[in-house]
Amino acid sequence: MSGVETVEKPRRNVELLLLLLAFAVSIGANTMKGLQDGTAFGSDFWLQEALLAVPALAIHAVLRFRAKYADPLILPIVVTLNGLGLAMIHRLDTPQTDYGNTQARWTVVGMVLAIAVVWFLRDHRILRRFTYISLIVSAVLLLLPLVPGITAGEINGAQVWIRIGGSTFQPGEVAKITIAVFFAGYLSTNRDLILLAGRRIGKLQLPRFKDLGPMVVAWLAAIGILIFQHDLGMSILFFGIFISTIYIATSRVSWAILGVLLMFAGAMAASLALPHIRLRIDGWLNAFSPEVYGRTSGSSYQIVQGLFGMANGGLLGTGLGQGRPDLVPFSHSDMIVASFGEELGLVGLFAIVLLYALLVTRGFRAALGARDSFGKLLASALSAAIGLQVFVIIGGVTRLIPLTGLTTPFLAAGGSSLLANWIIVALLLVISNAARRPTAQGPLVADDGHGSARHADLAQPGDTMTTQAVRTR
């Protein structure tokens, strides 16, 4: 992986201006919705905006003190997406539901967690010390929904939630962060071994059998999620994070090919052995068949209704608050992309996709600028996680691939998804700050002035003297 030169300027004022623009987008969307139901500019209207703006400005203030060189685009992009999601979820609320206010509360909690991460995690390389602990934590988080007593049971065909008090929580959303830490830590340590060892067959450099361990573990974990939790989306996401990370670490196509073959073999076996996977694939392939559309289990009703809704929106949409996205099941969560497609049209949907593309690009930009291999891989894995999640859910809603139960980051209703994604944003901000800040010049002396013991702990193969000096700060 090659590094890039970055402009060493804080750019916090640029971030503030973009944040104001993000608030304007959110207020505009909420106003359009409020004008339809007569709630515009009431006390609830301003409270909803304050629940987004105040913690967002608090993150901005913390960045000025603790990470002033962080990427100035990441936070405004996320606030824009979160604000649009809140407006749409409020718009889809009925007198019997309160998804909008629940999402607003989770937004505040997620932003507070992001502030905590930026404040306390000043050096992302500390996470490398928890490489194998992260693997254990990931396994525990993934197993929790299967533990009697705390499991919330099967909801909408998947067993991925636990019950905490009166609420449900999806531990797998947090596990995608810890698994990214493990992959980054493992591959940054063993990258050279993977690159140099192995047998070459033609143009393919195949890894040694004993180096296949992490890939086999990731494959088994993905298949386990599919078999025991019936969660196709999270299964694809976990294995996709690993494949993308190992490809970025090694630049070897052979690993990516091997990974895709393993994933394809697992998906084929699951479709043959598991009825719910077979029904889902059949619903995807034959969505417009009357028999598939009308059956009680594995019906294509949801995806077809979403496609009709987006077709009704056309190029410019029906206008926020003027469509009928409520006719689509789970229009506020799994199918919120279809809701936006109907009311904002193809243009609005493209704008949202563009925001996601820009967010993922800034994440990879932080990875390129990072001065340590762990930071590069962690930023890449987290960016890939967001990109893959967006691709899987939008691909499912538009019938490019089978529909899964993943949420659209920051847009769809879902507290655990919102918390996890705000933590990912905080980590990307921390890494981008390390990537963009000026490089220190000077002797290799630890902060405590007692030689290079601390430096030795953090030193990594291939570091330059300048990079090692930065580690001691």
Side-chain angles (χ1 to χ4, degrees), residues 235-258:
S235 175
I236 295 173
L237 180 62
F238 270 55
F239 202 68
I241 293 173
F242 177 68
I243 294 301
S244 58
T245 309
I246 199 169
Y247 176 70
I248 292 169
T250 63
S251 300
R252 291 286 171 81
V253 180
S254 55
W255 280 87
I257 292 175
L258 189 58

Side-chain angles (χ1 to χ4, degrees), residues 104-336:
R105 289 192 288 271
W106 281 112
T107 297
V108 174
V109 176
M111 288 186 175
V112 170
L113 280 177
I115 290 173
V117 171
V118 174
W119 186 269
F120 292 107
L121 186 67
R122 298 197 67 179
D123 190 340
H124 63 273
R125 290 168 298 190
I126 293 173
L127 295 176
R128 188 176 183 177
R129 301 172 186 170
F130 304 102
T131 295
Y132 291 98
I133 293 177
S134 298
L135 178 62
I136 296 171
V137 171
S138 303
V140 171
L141 289 171
L142 291 175
L143 289 174
L144 279 179
L146 304 176
V147 177
I150 60 173
T151 179
E154 191 166 300
I155 302 176
N156 300 326
Q159 190 170 349
V160 295
W161 285 274
I162 61 173
R163 195 167 293 283
I164 302 176
S167 304
T168 56
F169 189 82
Q170 190 175 351
E173 289 286 347
V174 181
K176 69 185 180 187
I177 302 173
T178 54
I179 204 75
V181 172
F182 166 69
F183 287 153
Y186 177 84
L187 292 172
S188 61
T189 303
N190 298 281
R191 175 174 173 267
D192 292 340
L193 185 64
I194 293 171
L195 279 174
L196 298 175
R199 177 177 297 178
R200 177 175 289 278
I201 301 177
K203 293 184 178 181
L204 288 180
Q205 176 76 35
L206 296 178
R208 295 186 305 183
F209 181 76
K210 63 181 182 180
D211 296 329
L212 285 173
M215 180 174 283
V216 173
V217 170
W219 180 69
L220 290 176
I223 297 300
I225 294 170
L226 190 61
I227 293 175
F228 297 108
Q229 300 184 352
H230 303 172
D231 192 350
L232 177 62
M234 196 59 76
S235 175
I236 295 173
L237 180 62
F238 270 55
F239 202 68
I241 293 173
F242 177 68
I243 294 301
S244 58
T245 309
I246 199 169
Y247 176 70
I248 292 169
T250 63
S251 300
R252 291 286 171 81
V253 180
S254 55
W255 280 87
I257 292 175
L258 189 58
V260 171
L261 290 176
L262 280 173
M263 190 160 62
F264 183 74
M268 288 297 294
S271 66
L272 294 174
L274 303 174
H276 66 280
I277 298 296
R278 191 162 55 248
L279 285 175
R280 178 158 296 193
I281 292 177
D282 183 50
W284 167 57
L285 293 174
N286 305 295
F288 291 97
S289 163
E291 180 186 348
V292 175
Y293 180 83
R295 68 189 176 196
T296 55
S297 180
S299 164
S300 62
Y301 176 80
Q302 184 182 28
I303 186 171
V304 170
Q305 285 295 99
L307 291 172
F308 283 151
M310 288 188 286
N312 184 47
L315 187 62
L316 300 177
T318 59
L320 199 56
Q322 300 185 50
R324 290 302 308 276
D326 54 300
L327 297 177
V328 182
F330 302 104
S331 57
H332 64 290
S333 55
D334 294 5
M335 298 296 288
I336 199 166

Side-chain angles (χ1 to χ4, degrees), residues 341-415:
E342 179 175 357
E343 300 208 328
L344 298 185
L346 187 63
V347 173
L349 205 52
F350 274 3
I352 289 173
V353 172
L354 189 61
L355 285 174
Y356 280 119
L358 193 55
L359 176 61
V360 174
T361 302
R362 301 312 294 184
F364 280 117
R365 172 77 178 179
L368 286 171
R371 296 159 185 153
D372 63 293
S373 57
F374 174 74
K376 287 179 184 294
L377 292 175
L378 182 58
S380 301
L382 296 175
S383 304
I386 294 177
L388 278 169
Q389 191 161 344
V390 172
F391 169 76
V392 169
I393 187 63
I394 294 183
V397 171
T398 55
R399 204 171 161 240
L400 179 65
I401 59 175
L403 183 64
T404 67
L406 286 179
T407 57
T408 314
F410 305 107
L411 284 182

Side-chain angles (χ1 to χ4, degrees), residues 433-472:
N433 176 61
R436 294 166 57 88
R437 70 186 176 194
T439 305
Q441 302 290 338
L444 297 177
V445 179
D447 287 344
D448 57 10
H450 292 286
S452 58
R454 182 180 172 191
H455 150 260
D457 290 341
L458 294 174
Q460 299 167 11
D463 282 350
T464 64
M465 295 291 284
T466 301
T467 306
Q468 293 179 15
V470 173
R471 293 181 189 287
T472 64

